[in-house]
Every structure is written in C-alpha cells, then in structure tokens.
Amino acid sequence: MIIDAHCRIGDGREVELKPAELIATMDALGIDRAVVAPGERCTAYDNREGNELTAVAAAESGGRLLAYAVANPWRGRAAIDELDRALDAGAVALAVDSTLQGFDLLDGLLDPLLDFATDAGWFVYVRTGTPPTALPLPLATLARRRPELPVIMGKSGATDFWIDAVPALLHAPNLYGDTAYAPWDTVLTGFQNEPGIGAERLIFATDAPYTVPVAEVDRIRDWPLDADRKAAVFGGNLARLLAHQ
Amino acid sequence: MIDFHTHTPAWETATWLGGAAFGADEFVAFMDGAGIERAVVLSHDGLFDPTPESNDQLAEFVHKYPDRLIGFGTVAVRRKSAVQEAERMVGELGLRGLKLHPWLQGFSMHERGLDPICEVIAGAGGVLLVHDGTPPYSTAGQIAALARRHPKLPVILGHGGLHDLWRESLAMTQETENLYLCLCGTPPYAARRILAEAPPHKVIFGTDAGLSEQASQDYAVARVKEIDGWGITAAQRRAMLIDNPRRLLDRT
C-alpha cells in the first residue's frame, strides 16, 4: 500500500491541483491514499474555506483522500473552534506551515492546536526548510514536549537543512522524516542507516503539486531497500499513525 | 545537453555531504547514461577547504576529458594569496571559472577582497558560479550586489534559490543584466515559473552530480529525467539545456 502523506489541493500562488486530477495521478502511480491539505491562501488565511474544501474532497473520494485540518494559530480560540469543526467533518491530522502562517514554532502560539491534535489522536505535519521559523531542530524541541503526538517533519529541511534532519530525528523519537525531494543516495540512506532512526521513522510524500509526483514515487521505488522497509516508508508507517486514532 | 553544476569526489576532506569515490572515466560514463554532453565540474574538497591543491586535483580530473569536462576552481577569498591563485587557476591550470560557496566557505559577498579576484576571472573571460538559496551568506540579493560591481563578469546563481528563496533569485536575475540562474535542486513548480518569467537566455540547468553515495550518481540521473514532468516548452528546454549554457561557456 502506498499512502501519500502530504499534498495540497486547490489554488496556490504558482500551482493548482484539483481532487480529480490528484486521484488520476494516484491511479497512474499506484498510490492508494493521500492526505490532503488546502492550498497556501487557505492555510494562511481562509482556514474555513480550506477545511471545507478538503472535507468535501475526502468525502467524495471513496476513501482515497483523507483531510488535514488547518487553522492559523494567531486566531487563538477561533483556531481551536475551526479544528473542532474540521474534526467533526472527518479530518485526520493537522497541517502546519509556520512560514505561511507567520509565527515561530517555539513562540507558544501553536501549543493549543497541538494539544487539540493530541486529544484528537491526530498526527501533525509541519513544513520545514530554510526559513528561520521553520527549521528542523526547533521542531524537534517542540515535538519532544508532546511525546505522544506524532510529528512529520515536512520536507525534512530541504534542501540545505537536510543536514539538521538527522539530529532532529535523533532528538525527538516522535518526529518522522518526510521523503519529499530527498534523494535516496544522498539523504534518505543517511536517515535509514543512522542508529536510532531507520526506515520506521520515514514517511513517503509527493508534496504535489509542487513536485513531479512520478519522480517522488520512482525515487523510493529505485531505492535499494529491502521490501519490508520500503513498504513501511511507502505507507506502513503512516498507516500506523492513522490507525492510532 | 550541458550540465552546469557537478562536483568531483571529495578526495581529501571528510565532509557531511559524503559521496562515493569515482574517477573521470566513471563520471563520463554517468554523463553518457544521462545524456549529458558536457559538464561544468566544481571541486568538492574546495567547498570545505579551498586550497590550491583542490584546484590541482580538479584540473587533473577535467583534463582527462577536455571536450566533455569544464572545471571551475575556487579560492580562499580572505587569504592574501587568493588573487594569485585565481590567476593560476584560469592561467596555468586552464580552469574556466570560479565557484564560491559563501556559507560553507564563510564569507560575505560584500567583502571587497572579492573584487580583485572577480577582476581576474572577468579578465580571463571566465564565469563566476555562486551557491545561492541559503541565508545568511548565500542569497541572490547579496550575489546580485557583487554582480553589479562587476558588470562584465557573468555571475550564475548556482541553485536558482532552492526551495525558499527562488522568487528572490528570479527577481534578481530579471533586474541584473549579468546575473544568470542555474536550476539545480530548485523544486519543479519554481523551475516552471522561473522559466516562464526569467529572461529566456539566462536560465541554465545543473544536476549537482558527484555527491551521491553511488558512483552512478542516481539522483542526478533522476533529476535529468524529472525535467520531462516540469511542464515546460520544447524551446525553454532547449534554451536551458543547450543554447544558454553553450553561450556562457563558449564565450570563454
């Protein structure tokens, strides 16, 4: 089973992905299920529109699509209310983008949302990279504060903060690496071979529509990893997180 | 096609980038398999320890296939010997350009010690390629400021701004006449937008080959293949892979 842990549907600044287009791509690539977040504007600002978009897409997908909930933490109590509505509508996880949403991972704003996610049995996807408010190691510190909450390190710090991904994964046992953009022969093998990390801490995502999805799938298919570990990366690990709910 | 961003192995330096050992024969075999006719080759050791010896070894590597491999050396920009080494690089060693990696090598593009080095490269008809996409020392705005000080020197943004600074890299390429942009590790959606909006003659492509744990450079092969999914026109592809890099290299 292949589960894509992160896509965005709807409109972005430079991209667009309709649910039907995503499902067609999944069919072509052998991806069974995908967890979808709304696009950039709805992640940053119009959370309600975004959560309704992903809820409808999930409900109409026959189980192929699962919805992330989004809420800008600057909205305070209203953000929690929004997550509550998304949970009722079937959301299975929380997606966070501190760069788009304009906060620091360690400033405390996100804490109530993480508490909500913990109580709901969700996992959390947090996008990381070069921005100083989206670095892997502060995310690891944040993740350690809630050891029961699984946190996916979206993009694993791509690209120049891939170097911080291993120490981040070692620092927080509940942190998971994301395969998107990461070559197996320079990055993923380093994660896999590191004692204390291994394939059970890696989760496949295409990050569509920012990528070429077939390239993301082929990268894992081409990785000379034994079948059990590859199955874990491709979907087993995420299925375990989803079953946790 | 021309791959404008590749590396030798690290022969002398223990680096966190890792990488396999390979010789020029194996590297050209990788190029043949990936459909790469010529490659600009940058030192790997020199990123971390920019010694004259790193340029010697780079020159030895590329001179084995002078029609296929083009070497860009590097210098320790704060050393008093930097200008002399730049002259040796483009003179005695026959290297065709300079690669700088400001955040790994630890300097700012605004340091005036760079100016005489750039004058040597410009005077030799060479090209400067700079790592970009990473604060605090490797942003396109910083690199464009240096390019404005040296208007006769073609300056290439080595990574097109990577994931988080590609819009800045695009904007600087648009407004700086002698600034070019190499799509190398830039995410596909950004590459597509850059190709649509940058001056058509200023975008080139690189794989960053040479850093793989496999001599076959699997990720670099995948990066070439991935272009098929970028959704770009045949004209954009040809300009990026053939015409634009050829124009930059053949001026030297």
Side-chain angles (χ1 to χ4, degrees), chain B residues 177-235:
Chain B
E177 189 174 348
N178 57 323
L179 193 65
Y180 297 77
L181 186 152
C182 183
L183 294 171
C184 178
T186 325
Y189 82 104
R192 187 163 51 245
R193 177 59 64 98
I194 287 167
L195 282 163
E197 296 190 356
H201 66 288
K202 296 179 82 170
V203 182
I204 57 180
F205 172 79
T207 62
D208 223 357
L211 308 179
S212 173
E213 298 291 343
Q214 312 292 319
S216 47
Q217 307 300 325
D218 295 57
Y219 73 89
V221 175
R223 282 181 169 173
V224 173
K225 186 179 172 191
E226 189 185 70
I227 298 171
D228 293 341
W230 282 8
I232 61 175
T233 67

Side-chain angles (χ1 to χ4, degrees), chain A residues 11-219:
Chain A
D11 298 337
R13 285 167 287 184
E14 292 90 12
V15 294
E16 179 186 14
L17 182 60
K18 292 184 166 55
E21 184 187 347
L22 172 59
I23 288 175
T25 301
M26 293 165 61
D27 289 342
L29 299 180
I31 298 174
D32 299 283
R33 306 173 87 184
V35 194
V36 295
E40 296 152 14
R41 178 177 59 82
C42 290
T43 296
Y45 179 72
D46 200 334
N47 305 146
R48 175 71 56 83
E49 181 185 328
N51 289 327
E52 289 176 351
L53 175 71
T54 52
V56 168
E60 293 178 347
S61 71
R64 300 289 301 282
L65 304 182
L66 304 168
Y68 277 110
V70 293
N72 192 316
W74 281 102
R75 298 176 63 201
R77 179 66 226 178
I80 302 302
D81 293 343
E82 187 58 41
L83 295 186
D84 216 10
R85 273 189 289 273
L87 177 63
D88 288 344
V92 301
L94 170 66
V96 174
D97 189 325
S98 53
T99 304
L100 280 177
Q101 294 172 326
F103 68 96
D104 187 302
L105 289 172
L106 297 175
D107 64 13
L109 282 174
L110 192 61
D111 289 357
L113 282 70
L114 298 180
D115 289 339
F116 183 96
T118 304
D119 293 343
W122 287 353
F123 65 88
V124 181
Y125 171 97
V126 182
R127 206 164 178 80
T128 63
T130 313
T133 53
L135 298 175
L137 282 163
L139 177 62
T141 290
L142 185 68
R144 280 168 58 88
R145 295 174 182 171
R146 290 171 183 77
E148 69 280 25
L149 177 65
V151 178
I152 298 176
M153 178 172 50
K155 297 176 63 178
S156 296
T159 57
D160 281 16
F161 280 88
W162 275 324
I163 191 174
D164 283 10
V166 164
L169 290 165
L170 290 172
H171 194 49
N174 54 325
L175 191 64
Y176 292 78
D178 170 15
T179 66
Y181 306 95
W184 66 262
D185 50 332
T186 56
V187 178
L188 297 178
T189 298
F191 294 177
Q192 145 68 21
N193 290 343
E194 182 70 31
I197 302 178
E200 65 271 20
R201 300 270 302 285
L202 302 180
I203 288 180
F204 167 76
T206 65
D207 204 36
Y210 301 98
T211 58
V212 177
V214 66
E216 298 299 325
V217 172
D218 283 351
R219 190 176 295 126

Side-chain angles (χ1 to χ4, degrees), chain B residues 81-191:
Chain B
S81 58
V83 175
Q84 185 183 357
E85 178 60 13
E87 289 170 340
R88 191 181 77 96
M89 247 173 47
V90 294
E92 177 189 331
L93 294 184
L95 300 176
R96 307 271 298 277
L98 172 67
K99 162 68 185 287
L100 295 175
H101 199 309
W103 81 256
L104 279 183
Q105 295 175 330
F107 60 88
S108 159
M109 296 307 287
H110 310 317
E111 294 181 30
R112 291 308 173 114
L114 281 165
D115 290 339
I117 299 168
C118 289
E119 285 164 14
V120 168
I121 304 302
V127 173
L128 170 63
L129 188 147
V130 188
H131 175 95
D132 79 312
T134 320
Y137 277 166
S138 298
T139 71
Q142 295 162 344
I143 298 162
L146 178 130
R148 288 193 293 272
R149 301 205 303 272
H150 298 277
K152 292 182 180 172
L153 176 66
V155 179
I156 299 170
L157 302 172
H159 289 285
L162 293 171
H163 284 239
D164 299 309
L165 297 182
W166 68 265
R167 293 181 183 87
E168 176 182 335
S169 294
L170 170 60
M172 296 301 158
T173 303
Q174 289 168 321
E175 72 174 28
T176 312
E177 189 174 348
N178 57 323
L179 193 65
Y180 297 77
L181 186 152
C182 183
L183 294 171
C184 178
T186 325
Y189 82 104

